[in-house]
Amino acid sequence: MNVKHCILTICIFISGFSSAQKGGKYKLWYDKPAKQWVEALPVGNGRLAAMVFGDPSKERLQLNEGTFWSGGPSRNDNPDGPKVLDSIRYYLFNGNYKRAEILSNKGLTAKTLNGSAFQNIGDLNLDFTNLGDVKDYYRELDIEKAITTTTFSSNGTHYKREVFASIPDQVIVIKLSSDKKNALNFNAGFNSELKKNTKAIDANTLQMDGLSSTLDGIQGQVKFNVLAKFITKGGTTSVSGNGISLANADEVMILISIATNFTDYKTLNTDEVSKSKKYISQSETKNFNTLFKNHLNAYQNYFKRVDFNLGTSPASQFSTDIRVKNFATSYDPELVSLYYQFGRYLLISSSQPGGQPANLQGIWNNSNKPAWDSKYTININTEMNYWPAEKTNLPEMHEPLIQMIKDLSVTGAETAKVMYKSRGWVAHHNTDIWRITGVVDFANAGQWPMGSAWLSQHLWEKYLYSGDKNYLKSIYPVLKSATQFYEDFLIEEPTHKWLVVSPSMSPENIPQGNKGSALASGNTMDNQLMFDLFSKTKKAAQILNVDSDKIPVWNNIISKLAPMKIGRYGQLQEWMEDWDNPKDNHRHVSHLYGLFPSNQINPVTTPELFDASKTVLLHRGDVSTGWSMGWKINLWAKLLDGNHANKLIKDQLTLVEKDGWGEKGGTYPNLFDAHPPFQIDGNFGCTSGITEMLLQTQNGSIDILPALPDEWKNGNISGLKTYGGFEVSIVWKDNQATEVVIKSNLGGNCRISASNELQLKGKNTLKLASGNNQNPYFEIPKIKEPIISREAKLNEVKMKEKFTYDFPTEAGKTYILKIK
């Protein structure tokens, strides 16, 4: 056993200068510097981001800015779409899938442009010149305070480095200090793989400016400007070539500002130099304590809303990478709560109001040619990024996605018109900062015209949590426009005369009966999305009392949509035909959208579909890429199997030591999700899944601890949000809820369900619930009866006993329920 890891939970450095608690509820910590990017620690403020490596002699901060992408304003519509659409549909309906795919690649797939790439600005390097042997090394990321700290001693001097990215001051702040005077000596410089110019403007200011890359023939047009301002106590600074040398300083504060010429997805006319300078000039008059206080107040306003505790164990004394390595074979409940909150930390740090949504890597990317361009993959990954937003009490973090959907409704209207001669708006499986909406890559991945339908669910979902009718009014035109596209695009299939989407696919899976083509008509996920989009748009129109003439039109379409089917293996069919292979372990489980994030499938009203969904997951198996594991945790939670969900959390928290490509996912040393390579959606998916294990809100009531694993015997969580504007906190002991605190923000009936009896504190009494929940935010959808294969063998759905209660609430009041 490594002696360094056998430490007390609290470790006090010998010097009076610095004391640090190793580990703790909110800390990722390590006893060695990061050698690779997936060991470095992320900080971000929604626009600026850095990965901090913590090397004592050669500190490196790798930098990103949320609007720095390759290319420039662009579109990727294929104008040949109308020429081939009818033929593609003909071939699909007649079983010639390969011919349909060939035509789709020719007439619908983008001719050259497959989207731009999110790019790496470069590095700030600090080269320390007088360090000897390093001892007592320690680095951490404190996600409660959103700050990284590195401490070590060398030649009898103790050094400390602190880094955070400030939301209010819009700069990255670095503080270098030591317990002896004149101890800081280093050279500083910028570096980047891009076309750039670096120089020292003066003895205290570094500048790097440059241009983004050209990709797919689209000229790089995004200009960037980076400034680093060095504010010293003691010592001297001097220009050294393109860098700065600092000698004999007592303390140094470095402010990093980055700006681009990006204004919006169609405009590049911001003065990046003056913008970058403005943030420096506004921050340099403030001392470190003031900047940190500003940062902490803004960050903790979000982070502190939710507290989660499963207890601790001796495993928590080890460094984070060792804890992940040992997690499957040790009892470490605190790593679960840390990983959960790390997901919330990442969302706050990568998605702030007024900025860009979190992309495939959030906002952290060290490449100019990242995997999948680090774009927005909108056939699951972008949506998964935002699954935790509302339920973990971070609604503001949802706003950048809502704004992107509004943007896409504009660019997607052109795509609908040019490619399909349709009204409304459409998006396919991928987009970027320029809001492209055409078909990306190739037909077997990209010919999925459902991006607009899935993204639109987020517009409605946000309303269910807030009940804000002004917000609903603002997004209703986007919902209505999305339905208009499918009003025109849906087509009758020849056998049953159901209205189906064609051409499409079940992302990104190729059925065994299709001769290598993914293209098909009437795929299960498409039918589920159509039901949700038309039902929810109709509901929005009724709430707002508009477009009454559209209600019968939408009702007629809903009545003609294909029902779900259960195939010969007892599985929920992925396609309209019974093509599923029980040995298929594909990472996408798109047809289970109806179970989660949708709520069309539940154990009470659709038990056959509930069982068939479970069969799908058993066929697919647990081994998968990181984000797929994240989705499966949510799905097993919705199947009310907390132990299986917990098993998948253990699979997700399996150490992947090196970045690279692979089919088996896990977690990197810095807790980033390993697809592999890194994709952030697995982090967000797991945070959402853990929430679903503890609290569900989609099936007509507030379900308390619906999928609690046996292992999580005691714990508490506070500040979670549900539909209908309720805020819920839960304490449990011996796997039973002992206290539930509910704050009602909108009033209305509260229906609560738990596995043990509860009573309401005070004068009010609970009554056993019966019939449908009268609270309109908790409506359970009524779907068509499924078609079940004669060969299917279904299992009876057995549910644990539950106690379901109703009680009236008033807006602004808090209600406490205790174990009976």
Side-chain angles (χ1 to χ4, degrees):
M1 187 180 280
N2 188 332
V3 176
K4 285 184 179 179
H5 293 133
C6 295
I7 57 168
L8 293 170
T9 305
I10 298 175
C11 171
I12 301 173
F13 284 92
I14 297 165
S15 160
F17 158 72
S18 169
S19 67
Q21 179 180 335
K22 290 196 175 182
K25 185 176 175 181
Y26 293 118
K27 291 183 180 179
L28 290 67
W29 74 270
Y30 308 83
D31 58 9
K32 51 189 176 294
K35 288 185 178 175
Q36 53 177 335
W37 191 80
V38 291
E39 295 172 337
L41 295 173
V43 296
N45 71 352
R47 188 180 69 84
L48 308 178
M51 294 291 282
V52 185
F53 283 71
D55 189 310
S57 57
K58 292 186 181 295
E59 180 62 277
R60 173 188 171 199
L61 274 80
Q62 182 266 314
L63 304 171
N64 290 107
E65 201 275 352
T67 63
F68 188 67
W69 289 62
S70 71
S74 45
R75 299 193 59 85
N76 70 329
D77 308 325
N78 188 333
D80 293 338
K83 297 176 191 172
V84 297
L85 182 59
D86 289 342
S87 297
I88 290 169
R89 286 171 162 173
Y90 171 81
Y91 288 122
L92 287 176
F93 288 143
N94 286 279
N96 194 340
Y97 305 104
K98 199 66 189 174
R99 181 65 186 152
E101 181 198 337
I102 291 165
L103 271 183
S104 181
N105 275 323
K106 184 181 177 185
L108 291 175
T109 301
K111 291 183 183 293
T112 54
L113 177 63
N114 286 303
S116 294
F118 179 54
Q119 296 204 297
N120 167 26
I121 292 279
D123 298 336
L124 174 68
N125 296 303
L126 307 177
D127 212 344
F128 291 82
T129 54
N130 67 332
L131 291 180
D133 288 342
V134 170
K135 297 176 182 176
D136 303 324
Y137 180 87
Y138 173 83
R139 69 185 172 103
E140 70 174 27
L141 169 62
D142 184 337
I143 61 171
E144 185 182 24
K145 296 176 180 172
I147 185 170
T148 72
T149 305
T150 305
T151 57
F152 57 90
S153 59
S154 176
N155 298 332
T157 302
H158 294 272
Y159 294 90
K160 186 176 186 181
R161 299 175 188 163
E162 298 160 278
V163 183
F164 64 87
S166 172
I167 295 168
D169 288 303
Q170 287 295 308
V171 286
I172 294 168
V173 181
I174 307 165
K175 181 185 175 186
L176 311 172
S177 54
S178 67
D179 66 345
K180 293 187 180 170
K181 288 188 174 294
N182 309 325
L184 295 171
N185 296 272
F186 62 94
N187 298 313
F190 280 124
N191 188 38
S192 176
E193 295 174 6
L194 297 157
K195 293 178 185 174
K196 85 284 185 185
N197 301 297
T198 59
K199 65 177 181 180
I201 295 175
D202 55 44
N204 296 96
T205 314
L206 283 176
Q207 176 177 278
M208 177 168 68
D209 56 52
L211 193 65
S212 67
S213 301
T214 296
L215 188 70
D216 283 355
I218 304 295
Q219 189 72 35
Q221 298 160 53
V222 184
K223 300 174 185 174
F224 71 88
N225 182 273
V226 191
L227 294 171
K229 181 82 176 191
F230 295 78
I231 301 165
T232 62
K233 286 184 182 176
T236 58
T237 59
S238 59
V239 174
S240 176
N242 291 334
I244 289 175
S245 290
L246 292 93
N248 303 322
D250 303 336
E251 185 179 296
V252 181
M253 183 169 73
I254 309 169
L255 304 176
I256 302 173
S257 175
I258 314 172
T260 74
N261 62 336
F262 179 91
T263 306
D264 57 38
Y265 69 89
K266 53 187 183 296
T267 319
L268 296 171
N269 63 3
T270 295
D271 183 338
E272 72 280 3
V273 177
S274 63
K275 185 176 179 180
S276 188
K277 283 179 179 174
K278 180 184 78 172
Y279 292 129
I280 292 287
S281 63
Q282 288 173 349
S283 301
E284 65 184 338
T285 56
K286 302 167 188 173
N287 61 30
F288 178 82
N289 289 341
T290 300
L291 289 166
F292 182 64
K293 187 179 176 185
N294 292 349
H295 154 75
L296 199 61
N297 287 343
Y299 172 76
Q300 290 194 337
N301 173 47
Y302 303 121
F303 185 80
K304 287 283 203 178
R305 293 172 185 172
V306 169
D307 185 50
F308 179 32
N309 177 36
L310 287 174
T312 188
S313 76
S316 65
Q317 67 186 303
F318 297 111
S319 61
T320 303
D321 51 336
I322 300 299
R323 289 174 75 179
V324 175
K325 195 170 191 174
N326 294 340
F327 186 69
T329 56
S330 64
Y331 178 62
D332 191 357
E334 196 177 68
L335 186 61
V336 175
S337 56
L338 176 68
Y339 189 72
Y340 177 87
Q341 292 283 31
F342 183 62
R344 296 181 70 247
Y345 167 81
L346 293 175
L347 190 57
I348 297 166
S349 303
S350 63
S351 183
Q352 282 287 314
Q356 296 300 310
N359 60 48
L360 206 56
Q361 293 185 292
I363 197 175
W364 299 275
N365 165 34
N366 66 334
S367 172
N368 293 315
K369 294 180 180 176
W372 306 284
D373 297 331
S374 198
K375 293 199 293 282
Y376 298 99
T377 307
I378 55 178
N379 66 10
I380 172 69
N381 312 90
T382 301
E383 290 88 350
M384 185 183 282
N385 283 1
Y386 286 89
W387 287 351
E390 299 294 333
K391 66 182 75 161
T392 77
N393 214 335
L394 298 174
E396 297 91 341
M397 277 71 266
H398 212 167
E399 287 178 23
L401 180 69
I402 303 300
Q403 183 55 51
M404 182 172 86
I405 299 167
K406 290 178 179 177
D407 294 345
L408 289 169
S409 73
V410 177
T411 59
E414 181 71 8
T415 301
K417 186 173 148 190
V418 168
M419 287 183 60
Y420 301 113
K421 288 193 171 176
S422 294
R423 299 168 301 153
W425 73 280
V426 66
H428 294 81
H429 97 294
N430 228 287
T431 189
D432 61 13
I433 198 169
W434 315 116
R435 308 307 190 234
I436 61 167
T437 44
V439 177
V440 165
D441 297 330
F442 46 88
N444 274 356
Q447 187 49 58
W448 185 74
M450 307 301 295
S452 47
W454 195 345
L455 286 172
S456 292
Q457 307 308 315
H458 283 259
L459 302 176
W460 174 253
E461 189 85 352
K462 190 168 180 62
Y463 167 73
L464 288 182
Y465 280 89
S466 71
D468 184 342
K469 286 186 182 173
N470 287 329
Y471 159 77
L472 186 63
K473 196 174 179 182
S474 75
I475 55 94
Y476 175 72
V478 182
L479 282 174
K480 182 183 174 184
S481 177
T483 60
Q484 277 181 326
F485 171 76
Y486 297 105
E487 283 176 43
D488 294 350
F489 191 72
L490 286 166
I491 185 171
E492 272 192 2
E493 52 80 36
T495 307
H496 301 280
K497 309 298 182 187
W498 291 323
L499 288 177
V500 297
V501 175
S502 180
S504 187
M505 56 183 291
S506 188
E508 299 164 10
N509 203 1
I510 298 175
Q512 60 180 358
N514 258 26
K515 298 178 182 175
S517 174
L519 260 59
S521 299
N523 305 304
T524 298
M525 185 197 208
D526 296 357
N527 304 331
Q528 293 167 342
L529 281 166
M530 288 295 87
F531 176 86
D532 273 355
L533 178 64
F534 280 96
S535 300
K536 291 168 182 179
T537 305
K538 180 184 82 168
K539 191 76 181 168
Q542 289 169 330
I543 292 166
L544 296 171
N545 199 22
V546 294
D547 290 329
S548 57
D549 57 319
K550 296 295 293 183
I551 306 299
V553 175
W554 292 332
N555 279 336
N556 184 47
I557 289 171
I558 292 167
S559 73
K560 291 182 177 179
L561 294 174
M564 286 185 247
K565 290 183 172 184
I566 295 173
R568 62 188 184 276
Y569 302 112
Q571 88 287 3
L572 176 64
Q573 287 181 202
E574 185 163 0
W575 297 276
M576 190 170 279
E577 308 301 326
D578 197 351
W579 286 333
D580 297 271
N581 177 0
K583 294 180 181 175
D584 179 8
N585 57 7
H586 197 271
R587 63 195 176 277
H588 282 260
V589 281
S590 304
H591 47 316
L592 298 190
Y593 162 86
L595 177 65
F596 184 88
S598 184
N599 62 343
Q600 295 172 32
I601 299 171
N602 71 70
V604 177
T605 62
T606 58
E608 299 94 347
L609 291 168
F610 187 82
D611 179 62
S613 299
K614 183 176 182 178
T615 299
V616 170
L617 279 183
L618 291 172
H619 286 173
R620 287 291 162 92
D622 294 340
V623 176
S624 54
T625 56
W627 68 264
S628 181
M629 277 190 244
W631 193 357
K632 288 173 183 174
I633 294 165
N634 289 270
L635 291 166
W636 280 110
K638 285 300 295 284
L639 289 171
L640 310 177
D641 191 337
N643 289 332
H644 203 129
N646 190 35
K647 190 261 179 189
L648 275 157
I649 293 171
K650 291 182 178 182
D651 289 351
Q652 181 128 356
L653 283 167
T654 299
L655 187 65
V656 177
E657 297 195 49
K658 291 189 176 178
D659 202 3
W661 291 84
E663 286 299 313
K664 191 174 178 183
T667 296
Y668 290 117
N670 65 357
L671 294 191
F672 272 170
D673 167 61
H675 176 287
F678 166 52
Q679 279 187 198
I680 205 165
D681 39 24
N683 290 99
F684 296 135
C686 193
T687 295
S688 169
I690 292 167
T691 310
E692 293 295 324
M693 293 162 76
L694 302 174
L695 184 75
Q696 291 178 21
T697 189
Q698 304 100 325
N699 292 337
S701 61
I702 296 170
D703 299 332
I704 304 297
L705 308 180
L708 185 71
D710 296 339
E711 207 173 69
W712 299 359
K713 194 174 177 183
N714 304 314
N716 57 76
I717 192 161
S718 61
L720 298 180
K721 286 295 191 76
T722 79
Y723 291 169
F726 294 106
E727 185 172 309
V728 179
S729 302
I730 310 165
V731 180
W732 66 95
K733 191 174 181 182
D734 295 327
N735 299 95
Q736 286 195 323
T738 56
E739 182 179 87
V740 181
V741 179
I742 297 179
K743 183 183 178 187
S744 176
N745 292 307
L746 301 176
N749 183 59
C750 181
R751 176 166 290 186
I752 188 165
S753 181
S755 62
N756 55 278
E757 290 187 273
L758 296 169
Q759 57 187 2
L760 196 57
K761 205 174 168 187
K763 295 176 184 176
N764 294 347
T765 56
L766 298 174
K767 69 173 185 180
L768 287 173
S770 62
N772 293 330
N773 188 348
Q774 295 306 301
N775 190 319
Y777 298 101
F778 289 84
E779 190 175 347
I780 299 175
K782 291 175 184 170
I783 64 167
K784 284 184 176 178
E785 287 289 320
I787 295 175
I788 303 173
S789 167
R790 289 179 183 176
E791 298 171 60
K793 291 178 181 173
L794 298 177
N795 303 293
E796 184 187 348
V797 173
K798 293 177 181 175
M799 292 180 63
K800 294 175 184 173
E801 185 183 16
K802 287 169 73 176
F803 298 88
T804 304
Y805 306 99
D806 282 337
F807 65 97
T809 69
E810 293 179 42
K813 289 199 172 179
T814 298
Y815 302 84
I816 299 171
L817 294 86
K818 295 270 194 182
I819 192 167
K820 202 164 183 179

